[in-house]
Amino acid sequence: MSKLANPDNFESMQSKLSSASFVGHVTTTEVNIWVRVYREGDWRLFISDTALDMDPYSIQPSDPIFSSNSSVMYQDKFISSDNGQTHTFKFENLLAGKTYYYYLMAVGELHSSIDRKIELGMRTAYVFKTDPVDFPQFSFGFYSCHDPFGHRSFSEGLWPHFDEQLSERNASFVIGGGDQIYCDTHGRYKQSSQQQNKPQIEDLWDWLAKHKKTLASAFNIDGAGNDAIDENGIKEYLKQLYRAYYRIYWNTPAMLETFRKFPQYMIWDDHEIMDGWGSLTKSERANKLDHIFQWDNHALNEQICQLAFKAASEVYLEFQHNHNPSTPPNQWDYSFIKGITGFYVLDMRGHHDVENNDGERLLGKQQMARLVAWLKQPETIALKAVFVVSPVPVVHWNDKIMNSIDLLLAVGGTKDDAQDEWGNDTNVTERNILLEHLGHFSHINTIPVTLLSGDVHCASAFKIHLKDKPNAKLMNITSSGISRKPAPGFLDKLIEGDGPLYKHDNASVESVFSLTDKNNFLIINVNTEVAPCRISVTMNFGEPVDDFIKQKVFFINE
């Protein structure tokens, strides 16, 4: 049996992210700053309300700028390889509406062992601004589906255009709506002979199918037989593989430039775990690990699948969720408020289970309850606009057609993609519950609710009308993907049009925009100084090689 490879050598032919930092959740007085460092050791993150003039090769941890009477704030942390050499620093007691500069510096034994003491913040300014007390007008960006390896050669997609648009609008933050990496779609066997010159990325689930027996053997509990495995050992090994995908996919210069400039809020979707995670039964997931040349232990396959999910969720925490607003353990949905505009970000993978028969398979009862409780809070009712991030669109495909070709989709291997959808027959009950809660909130409080979605590798915008809630203003806007190779043009025939909402007695949809065959992203402008509030959405779309991209502007609440 072959020896299990050193995970540090996984995808050795691909360049990987070394050191990086960006701002996550920010308020009037607090900030989360995420870092990934190139080596384990003691590191200091310090912030200042003025740019500092320092020698990055001679500065000492005892420098006067770090004294107690200095305006500089700092935190020291041993950043371990056990956490993927990542850490999120959290600073409090900041001033509202103020610009701060931040720097990353080696301290402790690491300080004396390396030449350059300041790793980040000198050659390029790392800056953030706390939220103002009042937030009447602002812009933010939304993107999803980052995959620079799906084109003929490595492509940054529309990231350079995204950064330009965000800078021109002086955007306040960015929301990443899912599929920030793809660990499961570029296996060599999936490429035709005409595509063999494309960048090669190992499909993690292909790798597991080929090497699961070696993995189980390497982490076998001595004397207990092949079925007894060290689950924590396998999980930790798989975490190193998942980290490699983040380091490969995020080593994209224009993407890092956007990350560095604008606070980032993120949520995962299936490709951070496995294509269609939650839409396959346990048995179907295990079947993905079957290999034609191996005798397969189905129970072991199921066990490894679940360990892979645990590994993926812990690495998601390291690279994405830790810099979001804080949540209890194993809760990845969250909310935040900017002035009098509220945001609720739904998690559609952490609790997604197609075998759950209680009618709430996508979000689960507890998450739905948290959303409903948030909608009832006095702070939420006092808002002027609400955005709900649903990584998978509530309205996009023609659900009647999609449900009628379930058998064809199963044969084609895309049944899981169909069952990801809110409009799939397995999920319409939960979709209708969601629309009931959002519609009631919007109708009673006359607050527009806008759903923001990704996932589908094309774009659309729909107004959702509820006959029994005439004051409700609901809209679902989908933007996907910013760099993933887009869905082919002929799929536009499967996008929903005007008419009744599938399997809903009181709802109809009105098509505002649809797009295939182009990369895209959103810039959204919110103005709550006027009544009713004015929200404009700019859909930006084009091809990576375009010097200039096209725009479509439409309005919410009008």
Side-chain angles (χ1 to χ4, degrees):
M1 183 172 291
S2 62
K3 182 180 178 181
L4 190 64
N6 184 332
D8 291 336
N9 295 328
F10 188 66
E11 293 288 15
S12 60
M13 297 299 292
Q14 303 294 338
S15 60
K16 298 182 178 70
L17 183 67
S18 180
S19 295
S21 180
F22 58 82
V23 176
H25 178 50
V26 62
T27 71
T28 55
T29 60
E30 300 175 340
V31 66
N32 294 344
I33 301 178
W34 178 91
V35 302
R36 199 274 170 185
V37 295
Y38 73 96
R39 62 183 288 182
E40 183 179 80
D42 289 298
W43 294 89
R44 171 174 296 176
L45 192 93
F46 58 101
I47 65 176
S48 170
D49 58 9
T50 59
L52 300 174
D53 184 15
M54 304 166 289
D55 183 348
Y57 295 92
S58 63
I59 187 171
Q60 298 295 315
S62 58
D63 190 282
I65 67 169
F66 300 119
S67 63
S68 59
N69 61 354
S70 169
S71 62
V72 171
M73 302 172 65
Y74 71 90
Q75 296 177 17
D76 292 348
K77 176 69 177 179
F78 181 81
I79 301 180
S80 169
S81 58
D82 292 342
N83 296 315
Q85 291 159 219
T86 70
H87 180 67
T88 297
F89 292 89
K90 301 176 185 290
F91 287 89
E92 300 176 339
N93 302 317
L94 305 179
L95 299 177
K98 194 168 187 62
T99 298
Y100 290 88
Y101 298 80
Y102 65 100
Y103 307 82
L104 184 66
M105 170 185 172
V107 292
E109 293 183 4
L110 186 61
H111 181 274
S112 59
S113 66
I114 59 176
D115 292 331
R116 187 179 67 247
K117 315 304 181 184
I118 296 182
E119 177 67 5
L120 299 172
M122 293 302 297
R123 293 182 61 187
T124 301
Y126 283 69
V127 184
F128 69 91
K129 187 176 182 179
T130 52
D131 289 346
V133 174
D134 296 319
F135 224 127
Q137 296 188 51
F138 64 94
S139 297
F140 69 95
F142 179 89
Y143 76 92
S144 69
C145 304
H146 166 60
D147 178 13
F149 302 105
H151 300 266
R152 173 64 66 181
S153 59
F154 179 91
S155 170
E156 292 189 304
L158 298 190
W159 281 104
H161 293 283
F162 192 36
D163 184 67
E164 288 175 3
Q165 290 294 315
L166 292 166
S167 297
E168 287 182 10
R169 307 290 184 96
N170 192 26
S172 297
F173 58 91
V174 169
I175 299 175
D179 293 336
Q180 273 72 254
I181 65 168
Y182 283 73
C183 69
D184 55 358
T185 62
H186 288 298
R188 183 178 296 272
Y189 85 93
K190 296 178 181 178
Q191 297 193 5
S192 69
S193 59
Q194 289 79 22
Q195 296 177 308
Q196 289 305 310
N197 290 327
K198 290 175 64 176
Q200 294 294 327
I201 303 293
E202 181 86 57
D203 183 316
L204 177 60
W205 292 81
D206 290 350
W207 186 92
L208 283 172
K210 289 183 288 187
H211 299 287
K212 62 182 180 295
K213 288 186 176 295
T214 306
L215 186 67
S217 178
F219 290 96
N220 175 249
I221 298 175
D222 290 340
N226 287 334
D227 291 344
I229 57 175
D230 175 4
E231 291 191 345
N232 189 65
I234 289 179
K235 183 192 71 174
E236 291 300 316
Y237 182 93
L238 294 177
K239 283 171 66 174
Q240 295 184 71
L241 303 190
Y242 274 107
R243 289 170 183 144
Y245 287 101
Y246 278 96
R247 293 182 59 206
I248 291 167
Y249 277 79
W250 285 14
N251 196 29
T252 302
M255 180 188 200
L256 291 174
E257 183 76 1
T258 301
F259 280 8
R260 181 178 62 79
K261 290 181 179 178
F262 305 98
Q264 301 291 317
Y265 294 85
M266 295 180 179
I267 188 66
W268 62 353
D269 200 17
D270 55 338
H271 292 292
E272 281 97 338
I273 311 164
M274 179 183 86
D275 186 19
W277 180 266
S279 291
L280 299 173
T281 66
K282 292 182 178 65
S283 180
E284 287 170 334
R285 291 198 296 264
N287 288 341
K288 278 185 171 284
L289 299 190
D290 285 345
H291 195 280
I292 191 171
F293 297 115
Q294 296 181 22
W295 173 84
D296 280 290
N297 181 330
H298 202 74
L300 177 63
N301 285 359
E302 287 188 6
Q303 197 173 8
I304 290 177
C305 284
Q306 196 57 35
L307 291 172
F309 170 73
K310 290 180 180 179
S313 63
E314 292 182 19
V315 175
Y316 166 69
L317 187 69
E318 292 171 355
F319 279 78
Q320 297 195 56
H321 189 65
N322 271 342
H323 59 73
N324 290 329
S326 298
T327 61
N330 298 317
Q331 178 187 322
W332 295 292
D333 55 296
Y334 60 93
S335 64
F336 60 96
I337 290 176
K338 300 291 184 180
I340 49 178
T341 302
F343 297 80
Y344 201 102
V345 181
L346 298 173
D347 162 34
M348 293 186 65
R349 295 298 166 180
H351 306 286
H352 185 178
D353 184 359
V354 73
E355 295 180 284
N356 186 345
N357 292 318
D358 65 1
E360 295 178 79
R361 296 167 168 164
L362 296 179
L363 304 183
K365 286 188 175 182
Q366 292 182 346
Q367 183 176 185
M368 185 72 82
R370 288 192 293 269
L371 172 64
V372 172
W374 183 78
L375 292 172
K376 292 179 179 179
Q377 290 178 2
E379 296 86 350
T380 309
I381 294 171
L383 298 171
K384 297 298 183 184
V386 163
F387 292 87
V388 176
V389 177
S390 169
V392 176
V394 174
V395 182
H396 179 76
W397 300 117
N398 185 311
D399 294 320
K400 184 175 182 180
I401 294 176
M402 296 297 287
N403 281 285
S404 68
I405 59 174
D406 261 356
L407 179 59
L408 181 61
L409 294 172
V411 173
T414 56
K415 175 186 174 184
D416 55 310
D417 294 322
Q419 293 196 155
D420 283 351
E421 303 298 323
W422 283 98
N424 187 268
D425 284 339
T426 60
N427 300 321
V428 288
T429 298
E430 190 175 8
R431 181 205 63 189
N432 293 347
I433 292 171
L434 176 71
L435 290 178
E436 173 64 25
H437 291 307
L438 296 181
H440 177 78
F441 169 83
S442 181
H443 173 73
I444 294 297
N445 301 297
T446 63
I447 298 173
V449 176
T450 306
L451 290 143
L452 300 175
S453 304
D455 182 69
V456 291
H457 307 154
C458 44
S460 64
F462 291 91
K463 292 182 178 179
I464 304 172
H465 303 288
L466 301 174
K467 294 178 183 177
D468 60 340
K469 298 175 179 61
N471 294 329
K473 290 191 178 295
L474 302 181
M475 198 164 188
N476 191 178
I477 305 172
T478 298
S479 176
S480 168
I482 190 166
S483 55
R484 172 77 171 184
K485 186 176 181 179
F490 68 83
L491 288 182
D492 63 353
K493 295 178 175 58
L494 290 180
I495 295 178
E496 184 63 276
D498 296 349
L501 181 63
Y502 180 72
K503 289 195 173 181
H504 195 296
D505 294 336
N506 295 308
S508 62
V509 297
E510 176 186 346
S511 177
V512 176
F513 178 81
S514 65
L515 172 78
T516 55
D517 201 31
K518 293 288 186 292
N519 291 117
N520 56 87
F521 61 85
L522 295 178
I523 303 290
I524 299 172
N525 300 303
V526 180
N527 182 355
T528 56
E529 288 187 310
V530 298
C533 66
R534 184 177 175 85
I535 304 171
S536 67
V537 179
T538 303
M539 180 75 72
N540 299 261
F541 55 96
E543 298 183 2
V545 296
D546 291 342
D547 289 330
F548 302 96
I549 58 176
K550 296 181 180 180
Q551 296 181 332
K552 170 70 175 179
V553 180
F554 43 91
F555 296 88
I556 297 170
N557 205 30
E558 291 188 1

